[in-house]
Amino acid sequence: MADYRIPSTLSLHTAALAEPLSVVLQAFKRAQIAPASKVLILGAGAVGLLTCSLAKASGCTTVIAVDIEQGKLDFAKEMGWATGIHLLPKGPRCSGADALEVAKSSWEGLRDSEVFKGVLGLEDGFDVVLECTGVESCMQMAVMVSPSSPFSFSFSFPLPLSTHNLIFDHSSRANK
């Protein structure tokens, strides 16, 4: 294992962002996100907030952040990293068909929200969906929100999730 030393000129608070920022940079590199893209970011934790910041700095015209914590969403909006925010209701973690139902309900709530209706061109879905939660229902939602040929990227899969748990129900997709 390599030994990486933090330079004395770098604060520990700043150094703590190195790993999550490297994850976000790798996702952006793989997604080839273009300026003027319409981006949905599911999750406003450390990785989600860094993702919002980079999306805005990269010239994305629409950056909508979704989370279950209003304070995190408010922070993203106040910093100018999100052009829109949407609060999801908190609920118990679930998997399989239950996660699909939560995802459908969450997608319907976002689709019917003022933040979604206020952006021209979203009726066909987002150009890019970045899932930053690791929550199965959010992964399901990412598939639903994406247009027919999306770039949807999940930063992490929770350990108990295997690919057979993801239920792809195309009847709920954005372009339907």
Side-chain angles (χ1 to χ4, degrees):
M1 180 177 280
D3 182 22
Y4 297 99
R5 300 203 183 269
I6 298 171
S8 60
T9 56
L10 189 64
S11 75
L12 292 178
H13 286 90
T14 302
L17 294 174
E19 190 276 335
L21 182 58
S22 70
V23 170
V24 172
L25 290 170
Q26 178 64 16
F28 268 71
K29 180 179 175 184
R30 292 181 68 192
Q32 299 177 344
I33 298 171
S37 292
K38 296 175 296 223
V39 179
L40 176 67
I41 298 167
L42 299 171
V47 170
L49 289 171
L50 286 168
T51 303
C52 287
S53 174
L54 187 57
K56 198 66 176 137
S58 298
C60 296
T61 54
T62 300
V63 179
I64 296 180
V66 175
D67 201 273
I68 60 171
E69 297 289 339
Q70 186 67 51
K72 293 176 181 181
L73 294 171
D74 291 341
F75 182 73
K77 185 82 170 163
E78 289 166 10
M79 296 302 293
W81 300 337
T83 57
I85 56 175
H86 181 72
L87 181 68
L88 292 176
K90 289 183 184 179
R93 291 241 176 164
C94 54
S95 62
D98 291 337
L100 179 62
E101 289 307 312
V102 169
K104 283 181 182 179
S105 175
S106 296
W107 167 226
E108 289 167 3
L110 175 61
R111 190 181 56 219
D112 295 340
S113 71
E114 292 302 316
V115 69
F116 187 87
K117 291 177 181 178
V119 179
L120 292 176
L122 282 186
E123 56 276 350
D124 293 326
F126 292 87
D127 298 317
V128 179
V129 179
L130 295 160
E131 196 292 314
C132 305
T133 69
V135 175
E136 185 175 341
S137 59
C138 288
M139 291 180 213
Q140 295 280 17
M141 185 178 168
V143 173
M144 291 175 191
V145 172
S146 303
S148 58
S149 57
F151 186 90
S152 183
F153 184 85
S154 182
F155 284 92
S156 65
F157 286 98
L159 292 176
L161 178 70
S162 61
T163 54
H164 73 274
N165 287 349
L166 288 177
I167 301 169
F168 298 99
D169 180 354
H170 297 287
S171 67
S172 299
R173 291 182 76 107
N175 57 355
K176 283 285 186 180

